[in-house]
Amino acid sequence: MLQSKSYSITNEDIQKEREKCTFDTMELTHFLDGGPEKTKERKELEEFFLNDPELKDKVPAEYLSHKEKYQEAVRKSCILFKKINEWQNRSNSGGGVGMYESVLGGTIGSAIVKEGIPFTLHFVMFVPTLMGQATIEQQAYWIGRAWNCEIMGTYAQTELGHGTFIRGLETTAHYDPKTEEFVLNSPTLTSYKWWPGGLGQTANYAIVVAQLYTQGVCHGIHPFIVQLRDEETHMPLPGIKIGEIGAKLGMNSVNNGYLGFENVRIPRLNMLMKNAKVLQDGTYIKSPSSKLTYGTMIFVRVALVKGVAGSFLAKAVTIATRYSAVRRQSEMKPGEKEPQIIDYRTQQYKLFPSIATSLAMLFSANWLWDMYNNVTSELEQGDLERLPELHAMACCLKAVCTSDAAEAIEVCRRACGGHGYMTCSNFPTTYGFVTAAETYEGENTVLLLQTARYLVKAWHQVGSGEMMPPTVKYLLKKPTTKAWQNNILCFIKAYQQVAAGHVACCASALEKKTRQGIAPEVAWNETSVQLVQCAVAHCRSFIVQTFVETLAAAKATMSPALHLVLSQLCQLYTVYWMLRDIGHFLMYSALKPSDVQGLQLLQDSLLRAIRPNAVSIVDSFDINDDIIASPLGAYDGNVYQRLFDEANKSPLNENPVDESFEKYLKPFLKSNL
């Protein structure tokens, strides 16, 4: 077996790429992080966690069994959570979900436990739900225990037969006033809770969403705290039917589980009662607004846009871009040296829009996070006015960004040829994480239809004199008669016209069907394909405008060189998606067939302009090699030596002859077939 070589020398091709750079990469890094101090904090955090030898893989995860993956994930998670506590004590940063989110929901966690941390839902769903929906008295009892990890929780909402349609959940919680208890049951197989992370073998408590019955009346879904396992022995409690759901496309150490109930009794005060309440005699007190319970789901959707879609796509496109600078293949001109594959225009078309998309997602996520925090503060004061707009934007951004990221990661994998197919490339694991997000926390099509419902309602407000929320004010604008121009202001206008055209077309179709006597629900279903397109167009218009506004706001403090590069990426994102959806731009905007070639030429010129800076742009994402976790994408560009070294970690290379030869292959070869 050849011995591993040192990685101290940087690949010559990738070094030359960095020498071409026209901007300061650290300036872009600081901009993306939110300033030099934020970059410094992130790097210190990464060093603290990623350099711990106890958190390193002794055997690559792909060579472990399903059970071994889970056991190793639990071992690492216990160390990880102790280190989080140590970090907070050392830095005097105190508590806060943010610290856990940055480790568990960000790139550090994915570097340490590559297929997912089984403790994640404890801090991403269990604790935030307690904070958002428990009374002060309930918080006093539960949050301390949860925060100190005396108990481990999960969030059990989705069932085998129902997911996104939560009103259809079948788990029941009947109140018994004689004992002041709720009795939980799973009346059918489809009512079993299915999918919660950590539920299989990890969590001993869960927030369970169930249909509340009291005094013979069903009051809809409500959250309850339920103990699942004995705190000492971890054995399931009586009436609790629990287990793991099995292997999946990815995230195989998250420990997703199933859960059924058979006459499980819990105290009345285990119902989270910040909003709705059940009194001792069974009297039900309604919540001031049913929308107050949406907070946790919106929080997770907000986190998904930045943490899953943006960060994981940034990782994938970094791997593919660096590999494309090192890989040489074919002859562009006969007799000349094989070119870097990044010089092929088709390769640039695969990669550069994905770089731009990652930035677009980040800027949209920042806007969404700010709005979420503002609306959450308003909700605490009883102001619900902006909640529908937040919900609509969280739905469509979650759907569009996770879908775009999954598609782009697969394009990046294919752009790396056969080497991208290897598990060690980190594309399979990265894709597994992101494509999972297309269906959890709301299936994407259903979320887009929720946004579409908001848009149709907004359309009916036009002309009513009511104030229009900022994200739908474009519906008030009149169609333009100006000739097409290849500039960003014209592009923004075109995106808004396409979105408005979709909304108007859908609203008209729904009205027509209703006038024909078709029931509104049936009319909605018959128009649903167009309604989904309507929500996507609205979201795409928002992303483009947010990208432009982010750069405009930063122009005064940003170097001209960096602003130029980011403007090129912004234009590329805009033109790329216009050409992908050219039919609707021809239908609804000022674009004419004779203008399309000009757009194609502009796209080519942008790919050509971005080419010298491509490697430096992904370098500016500043993703640690342990987080990249791919021989194709390491900073030094030593692709082939790293691939060879990864291959020799296979257990099949421990001995020159595997025992299967003597057992099976040799007798077969000697059998004179």
Side-chain angles (χ1 to χ4, degrees), residues 378-398:
E378 291 166 6
L379 288 176
E380 293 295 327
Q381 308 303 316
D383 182 358
L384 307 178
E385 185 179 345
R386 297 174 66 199
L387 185 59
E389 184 185 25
L390 171 62
H391 179 250
M393 287 312 306
C395 284
C396 69
L397 278 169
K398 182 270 183 186

Side-chain angles (χ1 to χ4, degrees), residues 349-394:
Y349 180 74
K350 293 173 186 175
L351 300 181
F352 299 173
S354 295
I355 296 174
T357 297
S358 181
L359 290 168
M361 287 179 187
L362 174 62
F363 299 148
S364 292
N366 289 341
W367 180 96
L368 189 61
W369 181 248
D370 289 341
M371 185 181 185
Y372 170 80
N373 286 323
N374 291 334
V375 172
T376 301
S377 298
E378 291 166 6
L379 288 176
E380 293 295 327
Q381 308 303 316
D383 182 358
L384 307 178
E385 185 179 345
R386 297 174 66 199
L387 185 59
E389 184 185 25
L390 171 62
H391 179 250
M393 287 312 306

